[in-house]
Amino acid sequence: MPEGILAQFAAALAAGAIRVIDLSQPLDGTTPIIQLPPEFGTTWPFQLQEISRYDSRGPAWYWNNFACGEHTGTHFDAPIHWVTGKDYRANATDTIPAEKFLAPACVIDASREAAADPDFLLTRQHVEAWERAHGRIDRGAWVLMRTDWSKRGDPSAFLNAREDGAHVPGPHPDLLRFLVQERDIVGWGSEAVGTDAGQAFRFDPPFPCHSTMHGNNRFGLASLANLDQLPPKGAVLITPPLKIVNGSGSPCRVLALVAA
Ligand code: MN
């Protein structure tokens, strides 16, 4: 380990040689949340309730209560979120080792394909083409699928729900097995409301990103933004969820460090 490596890092930050890019969506009552069929339980939308604002309830201070589901807005999925990951040790938001919350990112640009087809699925062949251009996906990296879906400002266009379910791009089941078994990634990140494609309830296995990632003790990031500002390779992500005891996930201020 080079001596003073953290001093060099701090100096690079101070000099603007490292940029910090916010990959998070704002949280308010309009933040889109996943819609499930009525037979299933539902998640709360984000809610803010003012406690005081420099008034009789608190003359010098402003603060709020908030409520939301764990999987609201830009958020982290822990392995315990899925039945396939329920038996791992240290599989919840409070027990995952903290060093797992810092990892490099590989960004696959599928924005053109997603614009042409909202049900576009990223395949192993796409990723192998990306590797020919940018090098092998790093062990322990996040793989982030850029779709520009976060630029859909209208929540109904973002969720893109129809009578036959949501139409949102995501990963192909074979790709997920490849990324875990042959590339040993730390997790999968998406710009959509969840990590799986909108039609993934029809796939084999259903919801393959959740099933495969969490079934191998890997993580997910959903509702990411600003992936168009990241290089294909070289960014480092900071992704700590709230330390909810036995939490299945948490809203997350996801940050990326990028060489300027
Ligand atoms: Mn989730």
Side-chain angles (χ1 to χ4, degrees), residues 12-259:
L13 278 173
I18 296 172
R19 287 191 302 135
V20 181
I21 298 173
D22 191 346
L23 305 187
S24 324
Q25 295 277 16
L27 271 176
D28 68 14
T30 68
T31 299
I33 52 173
I34 198 158
Q35 315 282 327
L36 297 179
E39 63 267 31
F40 298 123
T42 53
T43 183
W44 294 345
F46 186 84
Q47 302 160 62
L48 204 62
Q49 181 218 25
E50 193 175 273
I51 304 170
S52 73
R53 191 161 188 161
Y54 332 119
D55 53 26
S56 61
R57 299 170 299 173
W61 52 93
Y62 167 58
W63 57 339
N64 303 296
N65 292 314
F66 71 85
C68 65
E70 290 171 327
H71 300 256
T72 301
T74 303
H75 71 271
F76 184 97
D77 285 356
I80 199 175
H81 179 41
W82 216 251
V83 64
T84 52
K86 71 182 175 61
D87 293 326
Y88 284 108
R89 285 179 59 252
N91 62 354
T93 45
D94 61 321
T95 53
I96 295 167
E99 60 266 26
K100 296 281 190 182
F101 304 139
L102 282 160
C106 297
V107 183
I108 318 285
D109 183 0
S111 56
R112 196 169 42 84
E113 293 88 341
D117 175 12
D119 292 312
F120 173 74
L121 299 180
L122 195 74
T123 65
R124 174 176 177 162
Q125 287 69 38
H126 288 106
V127 170
E128 287 174 339
W130 181 96
E131 286 189 323
R132 284 193 288 278
H134 304 292
R136 191 179 166 100
I137 288 175
D138 301 306
R139 193 173 173 203
W142 288 99
V143 172
L144 309 181
M145 182 178 174
R146 176 187 162 194
T147 55
D148 288 349
W149 218 251
S150 58
K151 296 179 182 175
R152 296 186 162 214
D154 172 20
S156 70
F158 179 79
L159 295 172
N160 209 29
R162 294 184 214 149
E163 277 185 14
D164 62 347
H167 292 270
V168 171
H172 190 281
D174 293 341
L175 172 62
L176 298 160
R177 286 188 282 266
F178 168 74
L179 291 174
V180 168
Q181 293 168 6
E182 298 189 40
R183 294 295 181 268
D184 197 14
I185 67 168
V186 76
W188 172 271
S190 165
E191 291 187 50
V193 72
T195 54
D196 265 302
Q199 292 288 303
F201 63 95
R202 303 179 194 279
F203 295 178
D204 180 23
F207 304 103
C209 192
H210 289 80
S211 182
T212 302
M213 285 295 144
H214 305 325
N216 287 279
N217 208 14
R218 313 303 159 100
F219 314 132
L221 292 170
S223 294
L224 294 169
N226 296 323
L227 296 188
D228 58 341
Q229 296 182 39
L230 299 185
K233 208 170 189 181
V236 173
L237 260 52
I238 306 173
T239 64
L242 296 176
K243 202 166 183 172
I244 300 169
V245 174
N246 218 28
S248 76
S250 153
C252 188
R253 189 76 180 258
V254 178
L255 302 178
L257 304 179
V258 176

